[in-house]
Amino acid sequence: MTVSPKPTDAPSKLLSGQNMPCFEALLQRSRPHDPIRTAIVHPCDEHALEGAMQSRAETLIEPVLVGPRARIEAAAVEAGIDLTGIEIEDAPHSHAAAGRAVELAREGKVEALMKGALHTDEIMGAVVHSKTGLRTERRMSHVFVLDVSRYPRPLLVTDAAINIFPDLETKADIIRNAIGLARALGIDPPKVAILSAVETVTEKIPTTVEAAALCKMADRGQIKGGELDGPLAFDNAVSPEAVEAKGIVSPVAGQADILVAPDLEAGNMIAKQLIYLAGAGCAGLVLGARVPIMLTSRADGVVARVMSAALAQLYVRNRHGAVPGTLAKPITED
């Protein structure tokens, strides 16, 4: 199979006029790396195919289209997309496509999954299956990566899509997953703000107590690779002015790389407010499985899909301890 030549370090046409310097920097960071073989699960509409093919054009992935061959080819013809040279794994329907994509990952034949035109519960149901899925000892979680025009660095928000009301141990894994991604993106060590409504610990707000416990876990070496602080209110996490006004002394406050939400509802609102009101560019991955999963929404445009592919490529190529042939092993951080 022929892979297109690597793009130069010229700015990406995809992001032209988008005012997304953080995403542009991530794309440039991806340039030296080889594309990752990625199963595109049930890509039976224009959006799924366009996202996969544009990601291929940016040499981020080498797609394996998994789904009903006739429907995929018909969707490609309707969208004017040329599938010459693209591998297709025939599967009769979306449920079977999800199962086959997971099987390919278990066999080490693909290095990532990308959601196509199917429901999230279908693909995640196959991923989390206790016997045939992609579980590791790590709890799975989702990480948004946002390019916010008024913030000078990529902003990771977690968990806004998988764990509804995470307990302390789940939050520890959520943080570990986000730290692993941040380091793969070149943020080392990442600054992790554990959010609540206030910056002081009070038993009246249980998430402040959990934040303090997570910080102590980091002090004891139970969470490694990042600088943690919390509880921090949102303003104290991202605004140096708010930090100065409140007299907070912290290596994280005002300059967080990772925002850890108290629960899914809060994380989802934070991310979507930044996307829809602040015009932030967005991408995201599910981590903690044997391979990263690009869980894009049907409402996501091509930029979100391509940048999610960039995250997955950087994560696979830069994760700590990763060597060829070990995709079936749990991901561990040093």
Side-chain angles (χ1 to χ4, degrees):
M1 183 178 295
T2 302
V3 177
S4 302
K6 280 281 181 187
T8 67
D9 58 0
S12 169
K13 293 181 180 179
L14 176 74
L15 300 178
S16 178
Q18 298 274 0
N19 188 27
M20 295 182 183
C22 296
F23 278 4
E24 182 63 53
L26 291 178
L27 274 183
Q28 295 303 329
R29 187 176 181 84
S30 78
R31 299 304 192 207
H33 300 294
D34 292 330
I36 55 174
R37 276 179 60 83
T38 300
I40 317 300
V41 186
H42 202 252
C44 295
D45 67 10
E46 177 182 355
H47 298 298
L49 284 172
E50 185 182 10
M53 297 305 290
Q54 186 63 48
S55 297
R56 181 178 187 260
E58 294 282 348
T59 66
L60 300 169
I61 68 171
E62 192 54 48
V64 179
L65 308 182
V66 185
R69 178 184 292 271
R71 288 188 60 188
I72 292 171
E73 291 176 343
V77 169
E78 185 176 350
I81 294 173
D82 183 5
L83 296 183
T84 301
I86 303 299
E87 183 177 346
I88 299 178
E89 282 271 342
D90 198 9
H93 46 70
S94 58
H95 186 73
R100 179 56 181 152
V102 166
E103 186 179 20
L104 290 171
R106 287 179 64 87
E107 294 171 352
K109 294 178 179 177
V110 298
E111 300 166 278
L113 305 183
M114 177 186 282
K115 177 189 166 190
L118 77 169
H119 292 293
T120 295
D121 58 359
E122 284 189 275
I123 184 171
M124 290 307 298
V127 167
V128 304
H129 193 282
S130 59
K131 295 182 179 179
T132 60
L134 300 174
R135 289 179 180 270
T136 68
E137 81 272 1
R138 183 75 61 81
R139 184 66 175 256
M140 295 182 206
S141 60
H142 183 271
V143 185
F144 271 114
V145 179
L146 305 175
D147 189 335
V148 187
S149 61
R150 295 187 61 186
Y151 203 64
R153 58 184 64 84
L155 189 61
L156 283 65
V157 178
T158 191
D159 180 353
I162 300 292
N163 297 283
I164 300 173
F165 295 113
D167 59 18
L168 184 67
E169 286 299 327
T170 300
K171 284 186 177 180
D173 271 352
I174 288 170
I175 293 170
R176 294 180 184 113
N177 289 338
I179 288 174
L181 177 58
R183 293 177 67 187
L185 302 183
I187 307 166
D188 193 10
K191 300 180 186 298
V192 183
I194 306 168
L195 300 182
S196 187
V198 295
E199 68 275 8
T200 53
V201 179
T202 171
E203 64 179 355
K204 295 179 181 179
I205 306 178
T207 56
T208 67
V209 180
E210 287 186 345
L214 290 162
C215 291
K216 184 52 66 176
M217 290 173 71
D219 290 344
R220 295 287 187 263
Q222 293 172 265
I223 301 173
K224 299 179 180 179
E227 295 181 280
L228 277 63
D229 197 10
L232 288 170
F234 182 86
D235 58 339
N236 304 330
V238 300
S239 169
E241 293 79 13
V243 171
E244 183 178 2
K246 293 188 176 182
I248 298 171
V249 178
S250 163
V252 174
Q255 51 185 335
D257 300 299
I258 299 171
L259 303 181
V260 181
D263 56 44
L264 182 146
E265 292 175 316
N268 196 275
M269 290 181 204
I270 291 169
K272 288 184 177 176
Q273 284 169 356
L274 290 171
I275 294 165
Y276 287 98
L277 293 181
C282 74
L285 293 179
V286 173
L287 301 172
R290 295 184 183 186
V291 300
I293 303 155
M294 294 160 253
L295 201 65
T296 51
S297 165
R298 292 191 183 192
D300 287 335
V302 67
V303 170
R305 295 171 189 270
V306 171
M307 289 310 304
S308 295
L311 299 181
Q313 186 227 40
L314 287 167
Y315 183 74
V316 169
R317 295 294 178 238
N318 292 304
R319 66 188 179 188
H320 302 281
V323 295
T326 62
L327 292 175
K329 295 182 180 180
I331 298 168
T332 56
E333 306 298 340
D334 61 17

